[in-house]
Amino acid sequence: MLLHAFIILMVVYAMTANCPLCELDLQKEKIFYEDDSFIVLRTKNLKGHRERIMIVYKRHQHTIPYKAYERALNIISQIGREVFKYTPKFVILDSTFATINDHWHLVASDLDPKSEDFDQILATRWIKVVDNMYQDQT
């Protein structure tokens, strides 16, 4: 039993040890929001956008419960309204082209046609379009 628990711990450690999201140095990051489950921060690569943010589940998991997912969408929508106040709309993107696939996170971005990844944004499924013109919508 003890050996089994040790093996599980080693597997979990191996998964998280090489994860860029688990190894973030939060002292060096621009953090917009944090609670016990989630953190919202600027992405490492802005890809030509004025701002680009992501919400990360703090525990190293590939998927999260639906209620946590709904809460994450609400958080990133609300934070995004402030971060992207310079643009009428921003999108929350599906993880289709995510470079980190084994740690749950979502990216939100403006729709700047001059950005490096604009074609990729258009090719990605949008989870949500947030219209900053209507403050009632989240």
Side-chain angles (χ1 to χ4, degrees):
M1 183 78 159
L2 190 57
L3 179 60
H4 182 70
F6 177 74
I7 291 171
I8 290 172
L9 279 174
M10 292 307 294
V11 169
V12 169
Y13 175 76
M15 288 170 45
T16 60
N18 296 320
C19 175
L21 296 178
C22 290
E23 295 177 346
L24 284 171
D25 182 355
L26 297 180
Q27 301 298 321
K28 296 180 180 177
E29 303 297 333
K30 171 67 174 165
I31 298 172
F32 297 99
Y33 173 88
E34 183 174 10
D35 65 23
D36 291 340
S37 300
F38 296 102
I39 187 165
V40 178
L41 60 152
R42 181 178 285 141
T43 61
K44 288 265 187 217
N45 186 349
L46 293 178
K47 298 185 178 183
H49 296 273
R50 181 169 158 188
E51 277 296 350
R52 197 165 169 267
I53 62 173
M54 64 180 170
I55 186 164
V56 178
Y57 196 59
K58 285 186 167 182
R59 289 185 293 269
H60 184 91
Q61 290 182 212
H62 181 263
T63 57
I64 63 174
Y66 187 72
K67 289 250 186 225
Y69 178 82
E70 285 183 320
R71 188 165 163 269
L73 282 178
N74 187 44
I75 292 167
I76 198 167
S77 295
Q78 289 177 345
I79 301 301
R81 285 189 173 282
E82 184 61 29
V83 172
F84 298 111
K85 63 185 171 191
Y86 61 88
T87 187
K89 292 182 181 170
F90 66 94
V91 293
I92 302 169
L93 302 163
D94 182 64
S95 59
T96 307
F97 296 105
T99 54
I100 302 166
N101 293 312
D102 62 343
H103 190 136
W104 189 92
H105 68 290
L106 292 175
V107 171
S109 177
D110 62 29
L111 294 168
D112 183 354
K114 295 177 184 167
S115 65
E116 298 166 24
D117 66 341
F118 187 66
D119 290 337
Q120 188 173 342
I121 288 173
L122 295 180
T124 302
R125 184 176 73 88
W126 297 352
I127 294 171
K128 186 174 184 180
V129 178
V130 181
D131 190 335
N132 270 339
M133 304 305 289
Y134 300 99
Q135 294 301 319
D136 293 352
Q137 180 214 20
T138 49

